[in-house]
């Protein structure tokens, strides 16, 4: 069938597509960056037990790139178009089909797209914060006191209710952290030396968010869904992933100084 097989990868139902030069799940028919395979198997195929050492060795032997391609080479008579939907990590991306001699340089396009996405994220986050501030004026004081208590069951309820800051500029600065977290999650599969394992259900939610940012439809709902899955999920430390919470990983990176 033209697909490349490896003795160990076959036990995980993973194959290499030579056309994409990418690792693919033979069952789900999706391409995955190598760093996302463990999360995919854990969430989609829990009966399969991945041997991290043998898996890493197999990926190295098959010379599989750590990131997915940004374009697919077609025949010389194949004109560029958008419309071939393939799974790209946490995203579904419109892939460009191009002739072998006209492989596109997508860097500027990617930067422009990133700026537009984050401008939309910033706008929606400001709307979400404004809506939350309105709730402060209409929510019962006891509930606000409860929200302002770090551990009510252990330390009791704080007498001071949750309230807004006096300066508007201070309130607006609070969205920067959330925007940074969302930007990190949306860029997880863009390559680089730092990998952040995330569960498959969060991958799917991020995929929905990216599509919403492209179409500018239901953006508020999709951002809320991403933050809900990020903040309310229970996470367990594992070997090779001692900080499983994406928010904690972002805060560690965000507060890292230039000297380390």
């Amino acid at each position: 069938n033209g697909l490349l097989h490896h003795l160990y990868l076959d036990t995980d139902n993973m194959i290499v597509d030579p056309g994409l030069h990418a690792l693919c799940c033979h069952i789900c028919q999706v391409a995955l960056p190598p760093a996302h395979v463990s999360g995919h198997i854990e969430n989609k195929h829990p009966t399969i037990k991945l041997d991290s050492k043998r898996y890493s060795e197999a990926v190295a032997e098959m010379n599989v790139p750590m990131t997915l391609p940004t374009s697919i080479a077609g025949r010389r008579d194949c004109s560029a178009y958008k419309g071939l939907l393939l799974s790209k990590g946490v995203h579904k991306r419109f892939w460009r089909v191009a002739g072998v001699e006209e492989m596109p340089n997508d860097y500027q396009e990617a930067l422009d797209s990133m700026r537009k996405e984050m401008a939309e994220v910033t706008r929606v986050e400001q709307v979400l914060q404004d809506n939350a501030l309105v709730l402060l004026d209409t929510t019962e004081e006891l509930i606000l006191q409860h929200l302002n208590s770090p551990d009510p069951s252990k330390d009791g309820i704080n007498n001071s209710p949750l309230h807004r800051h006096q300066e508007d500029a201070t309130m607006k600065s609070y969205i920067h952290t959330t925007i940074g977290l969302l930007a990190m999650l949306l860029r997880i599969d863009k390559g680089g030396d730092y990998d952040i394992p995330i569960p498959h259900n969060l991958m799917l939610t991020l995929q929905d968010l990216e599509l919403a940012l492209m179409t500018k439809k239901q953006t508020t709902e999709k951002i809320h869904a991403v933050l809900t899955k990020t903040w309310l999920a229970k996470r367990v430390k594992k070997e090779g992933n001692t900080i499983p919470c994406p928010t904690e990983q972002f805060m560690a990176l965000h507060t890292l100084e230039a000297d380390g």
Side-chain angles (χ1 to χ4, degrees):
N1 56 9
L3 301 174
L4 303 181
H5 294 264
H6 184 280
L7 190 61
Y8 174 71
L9 292 179
D10 281 346
T11 65
D12 299 324
N13 286 301
M14 292 291 159
I15 49 89
V16 176
D17 186 320
L20 295 176
H21 200 203
L23 201 61
C24 301
C25 175
H26 208 180
I27 300 173
C28 300
Q29 304 286 301
V30 294
L32 297 161
H36 291 174
V37 168
S38 60
H40 175 81
I41 289 178
E42 182 178 345
N43 288 280
K44 285 292 187 178
H45 315 294
T47 58
I48 297 176
K49 303 304 178 184
L50 188 73
D51 185 318
S52 299
K53 185 175 183 295
R54 295 182 64 191
Y55 167 72
S56 299
E57 292 173 348
V59 169
E61 289 175 16
M62 297 297 285
N63 197 27
V64 179
M66 291 297 103
T67 58
L68 293 176
T70 56
S71 59
I72 305 172
R75 303 185 309 274
R76 289 180 62 112
D77 61 342
C78 184
S79 59
Y81 69 94
K82 289 188 176 182
L84 179 59
L85 277 175
L86 292 180
S87 182
K88 183 178 187 300
V90 300
H91 313 298
K92 278 197 173 180
R93 176 65 56 86
F94 290 104
W95 289 50
R96 186 195 303 276
V97 177
V100 176
E101 296 179 0
E102 55 174 0
M103 294 299 288
N105 185 336
D106 287 336
Y107 293 119
Q108 189 58 50
E109 181 181 335
L111 286 173
D112 292 341
S113 175
M114 187 185 303
R115 291 190 185 101
K116 290 177 182 178
E117 281 185 359
M118 297 324 298
E120 178 68 4
V121 168
T122 302
R123 182 192 69 79
V124 174
E125 269 301 303
Q126 186 62 63
V127 171
L128 287 171
Q129 187 189 63
D130 291 343
N131 291 341
L133 291 175
V134 170
L135 289 175
L136 289 177
D137 300 327
T138 58
T139 303
E140 293 183 9
E141 185 174 11
L142 182 59
I143 295 176
L144 294 176
Q145 290 174 332
H146 193 90
L147 291 172
N148 202 34
S149 306
D151 192 346
S153 60
K154 181 179 179 181
D155 302 322
I157 296 177
N158 193 334
N159 289 328
S160 177
L162 184 68
H163 59 279
R164 68 176 70 205
H165 287 277
Q166 293 182 344
E167 298 293 334
D168 289 339
T170 306
M171 286 304 311
K172 290 181 179 179
S173 69
Y174 270 69
I175 70 171
H176 297 165
T177 302
T178 306
I179 291 170
L181 171 64
L182 290 168
M184 181 191 77
L185 292 172
L186 288 168
R187 303 287 169 253
I188 281 176
D189 69 333
K190 296 298 189 294
D193 299 326
Y194 191 83
D195 294 321
I196 301 176
I198 59 173
H200 189 70
N201 63 342
L202 181 54
M203 280 186 179
L204 296 177
T205 309
L206 285 164
Q207 169 188 305
D208 291 339
L209 172 57
E210 185 170 43
L211 184 60
L213 291 171
M214 291 170 60
T215 60
K216 293 188 178 181
K217 294 180 180 179
Q218 295 187 315
T219 313
T220 302
E221 293 84 349
K222 301 306 180 185
I223 286 180
H224 190 268
V226 168
L227 295 177
T228 299
K229 280 190 169 59
T230 300
W231 289 338
L232 298 185
K234 292 183 178 180
R235 308 189 189 279
V236 180
K237 294 181 180 180
K238 297 180 180 178
E239 183 179 354
N241 186 21
T242 56
I243 309 178
C245 175
T247 304
E248 290 181 2
Q249 292 201 32
F250 169 74
M251 294 305 297
L253 292 170
H254 185 61
T255 56
L256 189 64
E257 299 292 343
D259 59 3

